[in-house]
C-alpha cells in the first residue's frame, strides 16, 4: 500500500467523509484508490467520491448491506481480499 489512512486519535479526522477528503487531498486521484471497508457506510462514502470499494465480510456490517450500497466485490477472507486487490489494481505491487 502506498498509503493507509483512517480516523485520527485527536479526532481531527473522525468521519468517513473526512478520511476520504484527506486521501483525495494528499493523493488527488480517486481512480488510484480502493476502499476496503466492512460497512455500507464505507461503500457509500467512497462511492460519493468515485472510489470503488471491496467489502470484507468479517467486520461490523453485513454483506447484504454492502452489496446493496454498491460494493465492487466482497472478500470473505484475507486471501480473497488480496486476490481482489490484485484484480482491481493490476499496477499495484502487493507482497
Amino acid at each position: 500500500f502506498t498509503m493507509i489512512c483512517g480516523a485520527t486519535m485527536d479526532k481531527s479526522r473522525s468521519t468517513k467523509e473526512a478520511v476520504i477528503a484527506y486521501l483525495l487531498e494528499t493523493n488527488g486521484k480517486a481512480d488510484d484508490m480502493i476502499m476496503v471497508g466492512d460497512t455500507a457506510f464505507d461503500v457509500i462514502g467512497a462511492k460519493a467520491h468515485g472510489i470503488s470499494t471491496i467489502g470484507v465480510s468479517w467486520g461490523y456490517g453485513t454483506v447484504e448491506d454492502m452489496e446493496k450500497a454498491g460494493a465492487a466485490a466482497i472478500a470473505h477472507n484475507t486471501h480473497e481480499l488480496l486476490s481482489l486487490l490484485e484484480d482491481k489494481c493490476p499496477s499495484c505491487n502487493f507482497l
Side-chain angles (χ1 to χ4, degrees):
F1 298 102
T2 304
M3 178 180 230
I4 298 173
C5 184
T8 57
M9 297 298 286
D10 68 1
K11 301 193 189 303
S12 61
R13 188 172 57 237
S14 62
T15 66
K16 300 271 186 254
E17 183 178 320
V19 171
I20 292 167
Y22 175 76
L23 285 170
L24 290 170
E25 286 171 18
T26 57
N27 186 11
K29 295 170 69 177
D31 57 339
D32 287 345
M33 297 180 190
I34 298 173
M35 166 74 86
V36 176
D38 64 352
T39 70
F41 300 111
D42 296 324
V43 179
I44 293 165
K47 193 174 188 180
H49 294 280
I51 301 168
S52 180
T53 301
I54 298 173
V56 295
S57 64
W58 60 85
Y60 292 102
T62 67
V63 169
E64 296 79 18
D65 287 345
M66 287 185 285
E67 288 174 338
K68 278 189 216 174
I74 303 292
H76 298 284
N77 58 56
T78 55
H79 296 285
E80 285 184 14
L81 177 57
L82 178 58
S83 179
L84 288 165
L85 286 168
E86 290 171 334
D87 182 55
K88 301 288 182 198
C89 189
S91 64
C92 297
N93 183 20
F94 301 103
L95 300 175

